[in-house]
Amino acid sequence: MDFELSEHAEQWRRRLQVFFDQEVLPRHRAWLDHVVQRREPAPFMAELQSKARAQGLWNLGLPELADDEPGTRLSNLDYAPLAEIMGRLFWASEVFNCQAPDVPNMIALQNCATPAQKRQWLRPLLEAQTRSAFGMTEPDVASSDATNIATTIVRDGDDYLINGRKWFITGAAHPRCSFLIVMGVSNPDADRTRRHSCIIVPMNAPGVRLVRPIRWMGCEDHVAPIGELKFENVRVPAENLLGQEGDGFKVAQIRLGPARIHHCMRSIGLCELLIELMMARATERRAFGRSVIEYDTVQRWIAESRVELEQARLLCYRCAWLLDRAGHHGAWREVSLIKVAVPAMLQRIADRAMQVFGAMGGSDDTPIHQALAWGRLLRIGDGPDEVHLRQIFRMEAAPPWTIADSPYLAPHPV
Ligand SMILES: Cc1cc2nc3c(=O)[nH]c(=O)nc-3n(C[C@H](O)[C@H](O)[C@H](O)COP(=O)(O)OP(=O)(O)OC[C@H]3O[C@@H](n4cnc5c(N)ncnc54)[C@H](O)[C@@H]3O)c2cc1C
């Protein structure tokens, strides 16, 4: 097996790294000041985006762009090391139009939208002229089982009428979010996985109400603020339906594969940063007459973090490679594997980093507590651990022998 990055990927990685170091990282303080402290948009974002785009660093996470669509057309595998660089800052992906939930939505639209829908909804996303959200989860039902989703999508003449409540909808509270893809029941009598459809709902459609913004573990998602929404007799034209009636699961699954793997790639980059932070802090800090880095416990935490990170990275690369070769269905198992492995690793590494930093680790002076919250979120968002573990277990094949006749065992004869 060849573990080297392709020349093509390495070239893009270097280009992105230079841009990140020279243009993005120096603005981190200003970003915190404007967006987090003053709660206003980063005044330099549009300029940074056009600079990045001028260098070709645009729509990096979309392998299947049409000829007239802007972007690099990197494979998932080639994108992985680039997403790692972006993952070091919570806001960096937006500079390159690679942020969630827009990229998974773009992939859903690429695969399921009609040409007219692509012109109206996909094109503005590819150009970063608008933002979007995906609305599945509901407060009143256990949404980890998507067959429970109860919002109704009912045909009424040339329109559909939508009624229901959604919450924890990432990006829905962003002031520039102009539409969301809503999942709801359209065919209640159909087979369990054919009851639901996905439909494009403009945020300004009469009857769509942003009930409140939602924080997660006290943290706000400043890139894609989370919202709770209510839909009361929302009327949208029938041509807003994505795919056919009953295709809701198909649409959701198409976007969930990339959504999950991209989160994992970025989280691996964040873990790389956490290890660097641990190294720097423990080297500089002295306690009980020694540098903190000299303590076995701290060395072990850092070494264990490295072991876990390299394992996760390889698994993530393999998943990306499978996604490129075999599409979503071929990578289904690996997506579940990394979806369980990476958030748990992020949580462990962030926890160690917090301990190494002492009190400072839980303050806004470091990104560590947000990393911890992010890891915790990813163990629930896009499907809780338990659901993925069940999937993984179900794909485990039973061995072709019983314990009694196993060639590997020597049970004592009765
Ligand atoms: C910060 C954040 C952002 C989010 N963004 C979005 C978004 O943009 N769009 C969107 O639609 N949703 C979003 N979500 C929602 C997320 O996808 C759901 O929370 C998730 O699918 C779980 O659904 P639930 O909260 O209803 O939990 P429930 O379905 O009520 O499940 C609760 C718990 O039950 C247990 N459980 C469930 N199934 C099983 C099983 N098979 N075996 C064992 N135990 C099980 C698990 O421990 C699970 O955590 C977001 C969530 C968070 C926290």
Side-chain angles (χ1 to χ4, degrees):
M1 279 177 105
D2 185 0
F3 293 100
E4 291 295 320
L5 286 182
S6 71
E7 181 54 38
H8 185 60
E10 180 53 23
Q11 189 197 340
W12 280 107
R13 195 198 63 77
R14 272 199 301 269
R15 209 187 279 191
L16 182 74
Q17 186 71 65
V18 170
F19 192 92
F20 181 89
D21 292 343
Q22 293 181 353
E23 303 286 352
V24 181
L25 199 48
R27 288 182 170 84
H28 185 46
R29 257 174 202 276
W31 187 87
L32 290 172
D33 189 33
H34 284 282
V35 180
V36 180
Q37 300 300 328
R38 288 192 249 164
R39 314 178 73 76
E40 58 189 34
F44 47 80
M45 184 54 83
E47 185 202 331
L48 261 191
Q49 285 183 327
S50 57
K51 266 191 185 175
R53 187 168 175 173
Q55 296 194 20
L57 294 164
W58 195 249
N59 290 337
L60 303 156
L62 296 166
E64 289 168 14
L65 289 161
D67 289 346
D68 63 339
E69 292 171 345
T72 50
R73 294 163 184 76
L74 288 168
S75 66
N76 287 295
L77 182 58
D78 287 351
Y79 176 57
L82 280 72
E84 281 188 31
I85 296 171
M86 294 181 231
R88 296 169 71 94
L89 291 181
F90 287 107
W91 59 279
S93 296
E94 193 180 348
V95 174
F96 311 98
N97 210 30
C98 292
Q99 71 285 347
D102 299 300
V103 173
N105 286 345
M106 291 185 226
I107 291 173
L109 291 169
Q110 282 180 324
N111 282 278
C112 306
T114 61
Q117 287 173 335
K118 286 182 186 173
R119 272 194 303 280
Q120 189 173 359
W121 309 106
L122 173 60
R123 194 75 207 194
L125 279 181
L126 291 168
E127 303 284 346
Q129 289 162 350
T130 193
R131 297 292 303 276
S132 65
F134 183 82
M136 189 196 81
T137 303
E138 300 180 359
D140 300 328
V141 295
S143 303
S144 49
D145 175 359
T147 62
N148 284 338
I149 297 305
T151 290
T152 54
I153 301 177
V154 178
R155 182 84 191 219
D156 185 35
D158 291 338
D159 302 321
Y160 281 100
L161 273 181
I162 298 149
N163 281 285
R165 270 173 79 201
K166 300 280 179 188
W167 74 349
F168 284 94
I169 306 307
T170 304
H174 194 289
R176 290 181 59 231
C177 178
S178 64
F179 73 94
L180 73 161
I181 300 172
V182 173
M183 190 178 180
V185 184
S186 57
N187 303 64
D189 300 325
D191 184 64
R192 277 177 85 239
T193 56
R194 295 292 305 167
R195 281 179 204 157
H196 294 82
S197 297
C198 282
I199 193 159
I200 299 167
V201 179
M203 283 294 282
N204 63 4
V208 177
R209 187 157 64 88
L210 178 64
V211 178
R212 57 170 174 152
I214 300 183
R215 302 196 316 164
W216 165 255
M217 291 177 74
C219 298
E220 273 174 65
D221 186 332
H222 294 283
V223 175
I226 301 164
E228 176 171 342
L229 297 166
K230 193 152 188 201
F231 301 86
E232 280 172 316
N233 293 322
V234 177
R235 186 174 285 278
V236 299
E239 59 260 28
N240 280 23
L241 194 73
L242 266 181
Q244 306 296 316
E245 279 190 11
D247 279 352
F249 272 62
K250 186 177 139 200
V251 177
Q253 282 175 357
I254 283 170
R255 73 177 291 293
L256 271 174
R260 289 166 178 157
I261 194 171
H262 291 173
H263 279 322
C264 289
M265 291 166 178
R266 283 188 288 264
S267 299
I268 288 169
L270 184 54
C271 287
E272 224 19 285
L273 172 65
L274 292 171
I275 293 178
E276 282 173 29
L277 290 174
M278 278 194 271
M279 285 295 295
R281 175 73 168 183
T283 305
E284 288 169 18
R285 204 81 166 163
R286 290 184 69 79
F288 301 98
R290 285 203 236 168
S291 166
V292 170
I293 198 87
E294 289 173 49
Y295 288 102
D296 281 354
T297 318
V298 173
Q299 292 179 3
R300 190 183 169 114
W301 287 341
I302 292 169
E304 281 176 346
S305 301
R306 174 56 60 196
V307 171
E308 291 167 17
L309 190 152
E310 297 297 342
Q311 286 176 339
R313 177 179 280 137
L314 279 179
L315 195 54
C316 195
Y317 279 12
R318 179 176 152 73
C319 181
W321 177 78
L322 275 171
L323 208 54
D324 290 330
R325 285 171 68 102
H328 187 57
H329 288 293
W332 193 237
R333 175 175 171 270
E334 273 66 19
V335 169
S336 280
L337 293 178
I338 57 165
K339 173 64 182 61
V340 172
V342 174
M345 170 189 74
L346 173 55
Q347 229 188 296
R348 282 193 300 274
I349 296 180
D351 188 67
R352 290 173 193 138
M354 189 173 278
Q355 201 69 13
V356 168
F357 267 72
M360 188 187 182
S363 77
D364 288 341
D365 294 358
T366 81
I368 298 170
H369 66 302
Q370 277 157 322
L372 194 59
W374 183 244
R376 194 67 191 83
L377 141 66
L378 291 178
R379 292 190 48 216
I380 294 176
D382 289 346
D385 280 358
E386 294 74 22
V387 175
H388 288 277
L389 288 167
R390 201 158 73 125
Q391 292 271 10
I392 294 164
F393 170 75
R394 284 177 172 173
M395 286 183 264
E396 209 57 42
W401 35 259
T402 61
I403 292 294
D405 66 9
S406 165
Y408 297 99
L409 304 175
H412 195 273
V414 183

